[in-house]
Amino acid sequence: MSLNLIARHAFLLACLVLAALLFVAAWVLRDQVYRTFQDPGVPFQTYTPPEGADYAEAAGWYVREAFANDDEPAVFFVHPTTYSGGGNWNGQLDKPSSVEAVTEIVLPNYAAPFGNAGALHAPRYRQASLYAFMNNREDSVRARLLAYEDVQRAFDAFTAQIGDSRPIILAGYGQGGLDVLGLLLDRFAGDADLQTRLVAAYVIESPVPLDLFAGPLNPIAPCITPEDVRCVYAFTSAMASEEGRIHIITERAMSWTPDGQLDFVDGRGLLCVNPLLSAVSNEYASARQHRGGVAAEGLDPDAVPAPIPAQTGAQCADGVLFFEQPRSRALHRPRRLVEDYRLPPFNLFYEDLRFDVARRSLNLATILQDERQWAPAFDAPEAIEDAPVIAIPDRRRY
């Protein structure tokens, strides 16, 4: 074999080795590479956000259902993140891929369990990008706050539309859960009337720090038992093998502080309601107690798909809901980039949530019916100044 041929073979071998090393590096660092491509590349302070929604118009809502009767609950649902990033810190309201993800995946899988208990209202909003949740830069935090401002405006329009006596169900997943928790702090904590009408607030896959209940959320307790109403139902879930996701949930995630800022949840304790038990408990619930998951992509939000029951056991530990790998492959997480930050295209606890919100809605309806039969409370007593006593003349003396 000639020296030239040997050199060529060595060169080709070196190229193959280099290509293999580059492939391995790209695979190992795939999430970091993905993040690089999703960075908007412009500081938020010089960024011009997309145009916001007008919530007085139907176009400002994915769903805004009519009410069947005067007592039907109104459901305010905030969808999770469906915009990856790249061009904007906050997603455009009409971006086709984001809209399709909401209508085809989120509404049938995640909003539908609540929509079965009342008239569903799901606003469009300038959601912070997925990239904004993959880091905690100041720009990313400001993008989350802009999204929350939209949700506040949508909720104010929602309460104006539904009247002042109808029961309310709040529900949000992921980024939507963070925004629902913000509404509890900013709209419900200081409003006794809204508290009275609250069936429950479902803050799912977004950590809820326990220190909030010793502060501004003191009037609104966690949902300790399955019968509780006017309470907060929350969990963030992971399998024990998902170390990266557990780290994100317990240490890197941010949530609201008692003074209304966003800060890390590390060391603050997290609320965990086990959906198989509908209660705050560290008890293990077996798969026999699992009412069913659903993969409902493409179905109408008002459809009732057949759940797949007995798929997973679950247990709360250190503020995280640990669940077991479901038996059905239809309920297995896909292998996507940055999957630890995403919601899967199915709802593992669909039927458990549907049953829970129906029960709490019925409980609140009964309570409200009883309370409305009570006599109205007396007004605050008024101080009356002493009046001089004037004697009545005795006419017999004249």
Side-chain angles (χ1 to χ4, degrees), residues 308-396:
I308 310 172
Q311 290 296 303
T312 183
Q315 183 174 21
C316 289
D318 298 324
V320 178
L321 178 71
F322 289 96
F323 65 93
E324 299 158 351
Q325 179 74 290
R327 298 166 186 172
S328 171
R329 296 195 65 83
L331 301 177
H332 286 193
R333 275 186 176 271
R335 297 180 179 275
R336 298 174 294 184
L337 291 171
V338 295
E339 183 62 22
D340 286 339
Y341 291 92
R342 301 178 186 265
L343 256 67
F346 56 81
N347 188 342
L348 182 58
F349 301 108
Y350 181 105
E351 191 66 6
D352 306 274
L353 288 163
R354 190 179 75 85
F355 186 85
D356 184 275
V357 69
R359 175 173 49 201
R360 295 187 199 273
S361 296
L362 179 60
N363 288 350
L364 182 64
T366 302
I367 291 170
L368 288 175
Q369 186 177 21
D370 289 342
E371 290 178 350
R372 287 165 182 168
Q373 293 176 354
W374 299 347
F378 290 112
D379 293 333
E382 297 182 7
I384 300 177
E385 296 181 3
D386 291 338
V389 177
I390 301 175
I392 300 176
D394 188 350
R395 295 182 181 277
R396 293 174 297 178

Coordinates of all heavy atoms in Angstrom, one line a residue, residues 308-396:
I308 N -58.1 6.3 30.2 CA -57.4 5.1 30.4 C -57.0 5.0 31.9 O -56.1 5.7 32.4 CB -56.1 5.1 29.6 CG1 -56.4 5.5 28.1 CG2 -55.4 3.7 29.6 CD1 -55.1 5.7 27.2
P309 N -57.7 4.1 32.7 CA -57.6 4.1 34.1 C -56.4 3.2 34.6 O -55.9 2.5 33.8 CB -58.9 3.6 34.6 CG -59.4 2.7 33.5 CD -58.8 3.3 32.2
A310 N -56.1 3.3 35.9 CA -55.2 2.4 36.6 C -53.8 2.4 35.9 O -53.2 1.4 35.7 CB -55.8 1.0 36.6
Q311 N -53.3 3.6 35.5 CA -52.1 3.7 34.8 C -50.9 4.0 35.7 O -49.7 3.8 35.3 CB -52.2 4.8 33.7 CG -53.1 4.4 32.6 CD -52.6 3.2 31.8 OE1 -51.4 3.2 31.3 NE2 -53.3 2.2 31.8
T312 N -51.1 4.7 36.8 CA -50.0 5.1 37.6 C -50.3 5.3 39.1 O -51.5 5.7 39.4 CB -49.4 6.5 37.1 OG1 -48.2 6.8 37.9 CG2 -50.4 7.6 37.2
G313 N -49.4 5.0 40.0 CA -49.5 5.4 41.4 C -48.9 6.8 41.5 O -48.2 7.2 40.6
A314 N -49.1 7.4 42.7 CA -48.6 8.7 42.9 C -48.4 9.0 44.4 O -49.2 8.5 45.2 CB -49.5 9.8 42.2
Q315 N -47.4 9.8 44.7 CA -47.1 10.2 46.1 C -46.4 11.5 46.1 O -45.5 11.8 45.4 CB -46.3 9.1 46.7 CG -46.0 9.4 48.2 CD -45.2 8.2 48.9 OE1 -44.6 7.4 48.2 NE2 -45.3 8.1 50.2
C316 N -46.9 12.4 47.1 CA -46.2 13.7 47.3 C -45.0 13.5 48.2 O -45.2 12.8 49.3 CB -47.2 14.7 47.9 SG -48.5 15.2 46.8
A317 N -43.9 14.0 47.9 CA -42.7 14.0 48.7 C -41.9 15.3 48.5 O -41.6 15.6 47.3 CB -41.9 12.8 48.4
D318 N -41.6 16.0 49.5 CA -40.8 17.2 49.4 C -41.4 18.2 48.4 O -40.7 18.9 47.7 CB -39.4 16.9 49.0 CG -38.7 16.1 50.1 OD1 -38.9 16.3 51.3 OD2 -37.9 15.2 49.7
G319 N -42.8 18.3 48.4 CA -43.5 19.2 47.5 C -43.6 18.8 46.1 O -44.1 19.6 45.3
V320 N -43.1 17.6 45.7 CA -43.2 17.2 44.3 C -44.1 16.0 44.3 O -44.1 15.1 45.2 CB -41.8 16.8 43.8 CG1 -41.9 16.2 42.4 CG2 -40.9 18.0 43.8
L321 N -45.0 15.9 43.2 CA -45.8 14.7 43.0 C -45.1 13.7 42.2 O -44.8 13.9 41.0 CB -47.1 15.1 42.3 CG -48.1 13.9 42.0 CD1 -48.7 13.4 43.3 CD2 -49.1 14.3 41.0
F322 N -44.6 12.6 42.8 CA -43.9 11.6 42.1 C -44.9 10.5 41.6 O -45.7 10.0 42.3 CB -42.9 10.9 43.0 CG -41.7 11.8 43.3 CD1 -41.7 12.6 44.5 CD2 -40.7 11.9 42.4 CE1 -40.6 13.4 44.8 CE2 -39.6 12.7 42.7 CZ -39.6 13.5 43.9
F323 N -44.8 10.3 40.3 CA -45.7 9.3 39.7 C -44.9 8.2 39.0 O -43.7 8.4 38.7 CB -46.7 9.9 38.7 CG -46.1 10.5 37.5 CD1 -45.9 9.8 36.3 CD2 -45.6 11.8 37.5 CE1 -45.3 10.4 35.2 CE2 -45.0 12.4 36.4 CZ -44.8 11.7 35.2
E324 N -45.6 7.1 38.7 CA -44.9 5.9 38.1 C -45.1 6.0 36.6 O -46.1 6.6 36.1 CB -45.4 4.6 38.7 CG -45.2 4.5 40.1 CD -46.1 3.6 40.8 OE1 -47.1 3.1 40.2 OE2 -45.9 3.3 42.0
Q325 N -44.2 5.4 35.8 CA -44.3 5.3 34.4 C -45.7 4.7 34.0 O -46.0 3.5 34.4 CB -43.2 4.5 33.8 CG -43.2 4.4 32.3 CD -42.9 5.6 31.5 OE1 -43.6 6.6 31.6 NE2 -41.7 5.6 30.9
P326 N -46.5 5.4 33.3 CA -47.8 4.8 32.9 C -47.6 3.5 32.0 O -46.6 3.4 31.3 CB -48.5 5.9 32.1 CG -47.8 7.1 32.5 CD -46.4 6.8 32.8
R327 N -48.6 2.6 32.1 CA -48.5 1.4 31.4 C -48.8 1.6 29.9 O -48.2 0.9 29.1 CB -49.5 0.4 32.0 CG -49.2 0.0 33.5 CD -50.3 -0.7 34.1 NE -50.0 -0.8 35.6 CZ -50.9 -1.3 36.4 NH1 -52.1 -1.6 36.1 NH2 -50.6 -1.4 37.7
S328 N -49.7 2.5 29.6 CA -50.0 2.7 28.2 C -49.0 3.7 27.5 O -48.7 4.7 28.1 CB -51.4 3.4 28.1 OG -51.7 3.8 26.7
R329 N -48.5 3.3 26.4 CA -47.5 4.1 25.7 C -48.1 5.4 25.2 O -47.4 6.4 25.0 CB -46.9 3.4 24.5 CG -46.1 2.1 24.9 CD -45.3 1.6 23.7 NE -44.3 2.6 23.3 CZ -43.1 2.7 23.9 NH1 -42.8 1.9 25.0 NH2 -42.2 3.6 23.5
A330 N -49.5 5.5 25.1 CA -50.1 6.7 24.7 C -49.9 7.8 25.8 O -50.1 9.0 25.5 CB -51.6 6.5 24.5
L331 N -49.5 7.4 27.0 CA -49.3 8.3 28.1 C -47.8 8.4 28.5 O -47.5 8.8 29.6 CB -50.2 7.9 29.3 CG -51.7 7.8 29.1 CD1 -52.4 7.3 30.3 CD2 -52.2 9.2 28.6
H332 N -46.9 8.1 27.6 CA -45.5 8.3 27.8 C -45.1 9.6 27.2 O -45.5 10.0 26.1 CB -44.7 7.2 27.1 CG -44.8 5.9 27.9 ND1 -44.0 4.8 27.6 CD2 -45.7 5.4 28.8 CE1 -44.4 3.8 28.4 NE2 -45.4 4.1 29.1
R333 N -44.2 10.3 27.9 CA -43.7 11.6 27.4 C -42.9 11.3 26.1 O -42.1 10.4 26.0 CB -42.7 12.2 28.4 CG -43.4 13.1 29.5 CD -42.3 13.7 30.4 NE -42.9 14.6 31.3 CZ -43.2 15.9 31.1 NH1 -42.9 16.4 29.9 NH2 -43.8 16.7 32.0
P334 N -43.0 12.2 25.1 CA -42.2 12.1 23.9 C -40.8 12.6 24.2 O -40.5 13.2 25.2 CB -42.9 13.1 23.0 CG -43.6 14.1 23.8 CD -44.0 13.3 25.1
R335 N -39.8 12.2 23.3 CA -38.4 12.6 23.5 C -38.2 13.8 22.7 O -37.6 13.7 21.6 CB -37.5 11.4 23.1 CG -37.7 10.2 23.9 CD -36.7 9.1 23.5 NE -36.9 7.9 24.3 CZ -36.2 7.7 25.4 NH1 -35.4 8.6 25.9 NH2 -36.4 6.6 26.1
R336 N -38.6 15.0 23.2 CA -38.4 16.2 22.5 C -37.2 17.0 23.2 O -36.9 16.7 24.3 CB -39.6 17.1 22.6 CG -40.8 16.4 21.9 CD -42.1 17.3 22.1 NE -42.5 17.3 23.4 CZ -43.6 17.9 23.9 NH1 -44.4 18.5 23.0 NH2 -44.0 17.9 25.1
L337 N -36.7 18.0 22.5 CA -35.7 18.9 23.1 C -36.3 19.6 24.2 O -37.5 20.0 24.2 CB -35.2 19.9 22.0 CG -34.3 19.3 20.9 CD1 -34.1 20.3 19.8 CD2 -33.0 18.7 21.5
V338 N -35.6 19.9 25.3 CA -35.9 20.6 26.5 C -37.3 20.1 27.0 O -38.1 20.9 27.5 CB -36.0 22.1 26.3 CG1 -34.6 22.6 26.1 CG2 -36.9 22.6 25.2
E339 N -37.5 18.8 27.0 CA -38.7 18.2 27.5 C -39.0 18.5 28.9 O -40.2 18.6 29.3 CB -38.7 16.7 27.2 CG -40.0 16.0 27.6 CD -41.2 16.4 26.7 OE1 -41.0 16.9 25.6 OE2 -42.4 16.2 27.2
D340 N -38.0 18.7 29.7 CA -38.2 19.0 31.2 C -39.0 20.3 31.4 O -39.6 20.5 32.4 CB -36.9 19.1 31.9 CG -36.2 17.7 32.1 OD1 -37.0 16.7 32.0 OD2 -35.0 17.7 32.3
Y341 N -39.0 21.1 30.4 CA -39.7 22.4 30.5 C -41.1 22.4 29.8 O -41.8 23.4 29.9 CB -38.9 23.5 29.9 CG -37.7 23.9 30.6 CD1 -36.4 23.2 30.3 CD2 -37.6 24.8 31.6 CE1 -35.3 23.5 30.9 CE2 -36.5 25.1 32.3 CZ -35.3 24.5 32.0 OH -34.1 24.8 32.6
R342 N -41.5 21.3 29.2 CA -42.7 21.2 28.5 C -43.8 20.4 29.2 O -43.5 19.6 30.1 CB -42.5 20.6 27.1 CG -41.5 21.3 26.2 CD -41.3 20.5 25.0 NE -40.2 21.0 24.1 CZ -40.4 21.8 23.1 NH1 -41.6 22.3 22.8 NH2 -39.4 22.2 22.3
L343 N -45.1 20.6 28.7 CA -46.2 19.7 29.1 C -46.3 18.7 28.1 O -46.3 19.0 26.9 CB -47.5 20.5 29.3 CG -47.9 20.8 30.8 CD1 -46.9 21.7 31.4 CD2 -49.3 21.4 30.8
P344 N -46.6 17.5 28.4 CA -46.8 16.4 27.4 C -48.1 16.6 26.6 O -49.0 17.2 27.1 CB -46.7 15.1 28.2 CG -47.2 15.5 29.6 CD -46.7 16.9 29.8
P345 N -48.2 16.0 25.5 CA -49.4 16.1 24.7 C -50.5 15.2 25.1 O -51.2 14.6 24.3 CB -48.9 15.8 23.3 CG -47.8 14.8 23.5 CD -47.1 15.3 24.7
F346 N -50.7 15.0 26.4 CA -51.8 14.2 27.0 C -51.9 14.7 28.4 O -51.1 15.4 28.9 CB -51.4 12.7 27.0 CG -50.1 12.4 27.6 CD1 -50.0 12.2 29.0 CD2 -49.0 12.2 26.9 CE1 -48.8 11.9 29.6 CE2 -47.8 11.9 27.5 CZ -47.7 11.7 28.9
N347 N -53.0 14.3 29.1 CA -53.2 14.7 30.5 C -53.3 13.4 31.3 O -54.3 12.7 31.3 CB -54.5 15.5 30.6 CG -54.7 16.1 32.0 OD1 -54.0 15.6 33.0 ND2 -55.5 17.1 32.2
L348 N -52.3 13.1 32.0 CA -52.2 11.8 32.8 C -53.3 11.8 33.9 O -53.8 10.7 34.3 CB -50.8 11.7 33.5 CG -50.6 10.4 34.3 CD1 -50.8 9.2 33.4 CD2 -49.2 10.5 34.8
F349 N -53.7 12.9 34.4 CA -54.7 13.0 35.5 C -56.0 13.6 35.0 O -56.7 14.2 35.8 CB -54.1 13.7 36.7 CG -52.9 13.1 37.2 CD1 -51.6 13.7 37.0 CD2 -52.9 11.9 37.9 CE1 -50.5 13.2 37.4 CE2 -51.7 11.3 38.4 CZ -50.5 12.0 38.1
Y350 N -56.4 13.5 33.8 CA -57.6 14.1 33.2 C -58.8 13.7 34.0 O -59.6 14.6 34.5 CB -57.7 13.6 31.8 CG -58.9 14.1 31.0 CD1 -58.7 15.1 30.0 CD2 -60.2 13.6 31.2 CE1 -59.8 15.6 29.3 CE2 -61.3 14.1 30.5 CZ -61.1 15.1 29.6 OH -62.2 15.6 28.9
E351 N -59.1 12.4 34.2 CA -60.3 12.0 34.8 C -60.3 12.3 36.3 O -61.4 12.6 36.9 CB -60.6 10.5 34.6 CG -62.0 10.0 35.0 CD -63.1 10.6 34.1 OE1 -62.8 11.3 33.1 OE2 -64.3 10.3 34.4
D352 N -59.2 12.3 36.9 CA -59.1 12.6 38.4 C -59.4 14.1 38.6 O -60.2 14.4 39.5 CB -57.6 12.4 38.9 CG -57.2 10.9 38.6 OD1 -57.5 10.0 39.4 OD2 -56.6 10.7 37.5
L353 N -59.0 15.0 37.7 CA -59.3 16.4 37.8 C -60.7 16.7 37.4 O -61.4 17.5 38.1 CB -58.4 17.2 36.9 CG -56.9 17.3 37.3 CD1 -56.0 17.7 36.2 CD2 -56.8 18.2 38.5
R354 N -61.3 16.0 36.4 CA -62.7 16.2 36.0 C -63.6 15.8 37.2 O -64.5 16.6 37.5 CB -63.0 15.3 34.8 CG -64.4 15.7 34.2 CD -64.6 14.8 33.0 NE -65.0 13.5 33.3 CZ -66.2 13.1 33.7 NH1 -67.2 13.9 33.7 NH2 -66.5 11.8 34.0
F355 N -63.3 14.7 37.9 CA -64.1 14.3 39.0 C -64.0 15.3 40.2 O -64.9 15.6 40.8 CB -63.7 12.9 39.4 CG -64.6 12.3 40.5 CD1 -65.8 11.6 40.2 CD2 -64.2 12.4 41.8 CE1 -66.6 11.1 41.2 CE2 -65.0 11.9 42.8 CZ -66.2 11.2 42.5
D356 N -62.7 15.7 40.4 CA -62.5 16.6 41.5 C -63.2 18.0 41.4 O -63.9 18.4 42.3 CB -61.0 16.9 41.6 CG -60.6 17.7 42.9 OD1 -60.7 19.0 42.7 OD2 -60.3 17.2 43.9
V357 N -63.1 18.6 40.2 CA -63.7 19.9 40.0 C -65.2 19.8 40.0 O -65.9 20.7 40.5 CB -63.2 20.6 38.8 CG1 -63.7 19.9 37.5 CG2 -63.6 22.1 38.7
A358 N -65.8 18.7 39.6 CA -67.2 18.5 39.6 C -67.7 18.4 41.0 O -68.8 19.0 41.4 CB -67.6 17.2 38.8
R359 N -67.0 17.7 41.9 CA -67.4 17.5 43.3 C -67.3 18.8 44.0 O -68.2 19.2 44.8 CB -66.5 16.5 43.9 CG -66.7 16.3 45.5 CD -65.9 15.1 46.0 NE -64.5 15.2 45.6 CZ -63.7 14.1 45.6 NH1 -64.2 12.9 46.0 NH2 -62.5 14.2 45.2
R360 N -66.2 19.5 43.8 CA -66.0 20.8 44.6 C -67.1 21.8 44.1 O -67.6 22.7 44.9 CB -64.6 21.3 44.4 CG -63.6 20.4 45.0 CD -62.2 21.1 45.0 NE -61.1 20.1 45.2 CZ -60.7 19.6 46.4 NH1 -61.2 20.1 47.5 NH2 -59.8 18.7 46.5
S361 N -67.4 21.8 42.8 CA -68.4 22.7 42.3 C -69.8 22.4 42.9 O -70.5 23.4 43.3 CB -68.6 22.6 40.8 OG -67.4 23.0 40.1
L362 N -70.1 21.2 43.1 CA -71.4 20.8 43.7 C -71.4 21.2 45.2 O -72.4 21.7 45.7 CB -71.6 19.3 43.6 CG -72.9 18.8 44.2 CD1 -74.1 19.4 43.6 CD2 -73.0 17.2 44.1
N363 N -70.2 21.0 45.8 CA -70.1 21.4 47.3 C -70.3 22.9 47.4 O -71.0 23.4 48.3 CB -68.8 21.0 47.8 CG -68.6 19.5 48.0 OD1 -69.6 18.8 47.9 ND2 -67.4 19.1 48.3
L364 N -69.7 23.7 46.6 CA -69.9 25.2 46.7 C -71.3 25.6 46.4 O -71.8 26.5 47.1 CB -68.9 25.9 45.8 CG -69.0 27.4 45.9 CD1 -68.5 27.9 47.3 CD2 -68.1 28.2 44.9
A365 N -71.9 25.0 45.4 CA -73.3 25.3 45.1 C -74.2 25.1 46.3 O -75.1 25.9 46.6 CB -73.8 24.5 43.9
T366 N -74.0 24.0 47.0 CA -74.8 23.7 48.2 C -74.5 24.7 49.3 O -75.5 25.2 49.9 CB -74.4 22.3 48.7 OG1 -74.7 21.3 47.7 CG2 -75.3 22.0 49.9
I367 N -73.3 25.1 49.5 CA -72.9 26.1 50.5 C -73.5 27.4 50.2 O -74.1 28.1 51.0 CB -71.4 26.2 50.6 CG1 -70.8 24.9 51.2 CG2 -71.0 27.4 51.5 CD1 -69.3 24.8 51.2
L368 N -73.4 27.8 48.9 CA -74.0 29.2 48.5 C -75.5 29.2 48.7 O -76.0 30.2 49.1 CB -73.6 29.5 47.1 CG -72.1 29.8 46.8 CD1 -71.9 30.0 45.3 CD2 -71.7 31.1 47.6
Q369 N -76.1 28.1 48.4 CA -77.6 28.0 48.5 C -78.0 28.2 50.0 O -78.9 28.9 50.3 CB -78.1 26.7 48.0 CG -79.6 26.6 48.0 CD -80.1 25.3 47.4 OE1 -79.4 24.3 47.4 NE2 -81.3 25.3 47.0
D370 N -77.2 27.6 50.9 CA -77.5 27.7 52.3 C -77.2 29.2 52.8 O -78.0 29.8 53.5 CB -76.6 26.7 53.1 CG -77.1 25.3 52.9 OD1 -78.3 25.1 52.5 OD2 -76.3 24.4 53.2
E371 N -76.1 29.7 52.4 CA -75.7 31.0 52.8 C -76.6 32.1 52.3 O -76.9 33.1 53.1 CB -74.2 31.3 52.3 CG -73.2 30.5 53.0 CD -71.8 30.8 52.4 OE1 -71.7 31.5 51.4 OE2 -70.8 30.3 53.1
R372 N -77.2 31.9 51.2 CA -78.1 32.9 50.6 C -79.5 32.9 51.3 O -80.3 33.8 51.1 CB -78.3 32.8 49.1 CG -77.0 33.2 48.4 CD -77.0 32.7 47.0 NE -75.7 33.1 46.3 CZ -75.3 32.7 45.1 NH1 -76.0 31.8 44.5 NH2 -74.2 33.1 44.6
Q373 N -79.7 31.9 52.2 CA -81.0 31.9 53.0 C -80.8 32.6 54.3 O -81.8 32.8 55.0 CB -81.4 30.4 53.2 CG -81.8 29.7 51.9 CD -82.1 28.2 52.2 OE1 -81.9 27.7 53.3 NE2 -82.6 27.5 51.2
W374 N -79.6 32.9 54.6 CA -79.3 33.5 55.9 C -79.8 35.0 55.8 O -79.8 35.6 54.7 CB -77.8 33.5 56.3 CG -77.3 32.2 56.4 CD1 -77.9 31.0 56.6 CD2 -75.9 31.9 56.5 NE1 -77.1 30.0 56.7 CE2 -75.8 30.4 56.7 CE3 -74.7 32.6 56.5 CZ2 -74.6 29.8 56.8 CZ3 -73.5 32.0 56.6 CH2 -73.4 30.6 56.7
A375 N -80.2 35.5 56.9 CA -80.6 37.0 57.0 C -79.3 37.8 56.7 O -78.2 37.4 57.1 CB -81.1 37.3 58.3
P376 N -79.5 38.9 56.0 CA -78.3 39.7 55.8 C -77.7 40.2 57.0 O -78.4 40.5 58.0 CB -78.8 40.9 54.9 CG -80.3 40.9 55.2 CD -80.7 39.5 55.5
A377 N -76.4 40.4 57.0 CA -75.7 40.9 58.2 C -76.1 42.3 58.5 O -76.4 43.1 57.7 CB -74.2 40.8 58.0
F378 N -76.2 42.6 59.8 CA -76.5 44.0 60.3 C -75.3 44.9 59.8 O -74.2 44.5 59.8 CB -76.6 44.0 61.8 CG -77.8 43.3 62.3 CD1 -77.7 42.2 63.1 CD2 -79.1 43.9 62.0 CE1 -78.9 41.6 63.5 CE2 -80.2 43.2 62.5 CZ -80.1 42.1 63.3
D379 N -75.7 46.1 59.5 CA -74.7 47.1 59.3 C -73.9 47.4 60.6 O -74.4 47.1 61.7 CB -75.4 48.4 58.8 CG -76.0 48.3 57.4 OD1 -75.5 47.4 56.7 OD2 -77.0 49.0 57.1
A380 N -72.8 48.0 60.4 CA -72.0 48.4 61.6 C -72.8 49.3 62.5 O -73.5 50.2 62.0 CB -70.7 49.0 61.1
P381 N -72.7 49.1 63.8 CA -73.5 50.0 64.7 C -73.0 51.5 64.6 O -71.8 51.7 64.3 CB -73.2 49.5 66.1 CG -71.9 48.7 65.9 CD -71.9 48.1 64.5
E382 N -73.9 52.4 64.7 CA -73.6 53.8 64.7 C -73.7 54.4 66.1 O -74.5 54.1 66.8 CB -74.6 54.5 63.7 CG -74.5 54.1 62.3 CD -75.4 54.9 61.4 OE1 -76.0 55.9 61.9 OE2 -75.6 54.5 60.3
A383 N -72.7 55.3 66.3 CA -72.7 55.9 67.6 C -73.7 57.0 67.6 O -73.9 57.8 66.7 CB -71.3 56.5 67.9
I384 N -74.5 57.1 68.7 CA -75.5 58.2 68.9 C -75.2 59.1 70.0 O -74.9 58.6 71.1 CB -76.9 57.5 69.1 CG1 -77.3 56.6 67.9 CG2 -78.0 58.6 69.3 CD1 -78.6 55.9 68.1
E385 N -75.2 60.4 69.8 CA -74.9 61.3 70.8 C -76.0 61.3 71.9 O -77.2 61.2 71.5 CB -74.6 62.7 70.3 CG -73.5 62.8 69.3 CD -73.3 64.2 68.8 OE1 -74.0 65.1 69.2 OE2 -72.4 64.4 68.0
D386 N -75.6 61.6 73.1 CA -76.6 61.7 74.2 C -77.5 62.9 73.9 O -77.0 64.0 73.5 CB -75.9 61.9 75.6 CG -75.2 60.6 76.0 OD1 -75.6 59.5 75.5 OD2 -74.3 60.7 76.8
A387 N -78.8 62.7 74.2 CA -79.8 63.8 74.0 C -80.3 64.3 75.4 O -80.5 63.5 76.2 CB -81.0 63.4 73.1
P388 N -80.4 65.6 75.6 CA -80.9 66.1 76.9 C -82.3 65.6 77.1 O -83.1 65.5 76.2 CB -80.8 67.6 76.7 CG -80.8 67.8 75.3 CD -80.2 66.7 74.6
V389 N -82.6 65.3 78.4 CA -84.0 64.9 78.7 C -84.8 66.1 79.1 O -84.4 66.9 80.0 CB -84.0 63.9 79.9 CG1 -85.4 63.5 80.3 CG2 -83.2 62.7 79.5
I390 N -85.9 66.4 78.4 CA -86.8 67.5 78.7 C -88.0 67.0 79.3 O -88.8 66.2 78.7 CB -87.1 68.3 77.4 CG1 -85.8 68.8 76.8 CG2 -88.0 69.5 77.7 CD1 -85.9 69.5 75.4
A391 N -88.3 67.5 80.5 CA -89.5 67.0 81.2 C -90.8 67.5 80.6 O -90.8 68.6 80.0 CB -89.5 67.6 82.7
I392 N -91.8 66.7 80.6 CA -93.1 67.0 80.0 C -93.9 67.8 81.1 O -94.0 67.4 82.3 CB -93.9 65.8 79.6 CG1 -93.1 65.0 78.5 CG2 -95.3 66.2 79.1 CD1 -93.8 63.7 78.2
P393 N -94.4 69.0 80.8 CA -95.1 69.8 81.8 C -96.3 69.0 82.3 O -97.0 68.3 81.6 CB -95.5 71.0 81.0 CG -94.6 71.1 79.8 CD -94.3 69.7 79.5
D394 N -96.6 69.2 83.6 CA -97.8 68.5 84.3 C -98.9 69.6 84.2 O -98.9 70.5 84.9 CB -97.4 68.2 85.7 CG -98.6 67.4 86.3 OD1 -99.6 67.3 85.7 OD2 -98.3 66.8 87.4
R395 N -99.9 69.3 83.3 CA -100.9 70.3 83.1 C -101.9 70.4 84.3 O -102.6 71.4 84.4 CB -101.7 69.9 81.8 CG -100.9 69.9 80.5 CD -101.8 69.6 79.4 NE -101.0 69.6 78.1 CZ -100.8 70.7 77.4 NH1 -101.3 71.8 77.8 NH2 -100.1 70.6 76.3
R396 N -101.8 69.4 85.2 CA -102.8 69.5 86.3 C -102.3 70.6 87.3 O -103.1 71.0 88.2 CB -102.8 68.1 87.1 CG -103.4 67.0 86.2 CD -103.3 65.7 86.9 NE -101.9 65.3 87.1 CZ -101.5 64.2 87.8 NH1 -102.4 63.4 88.3 NH2 -100.3 63.9 87.9

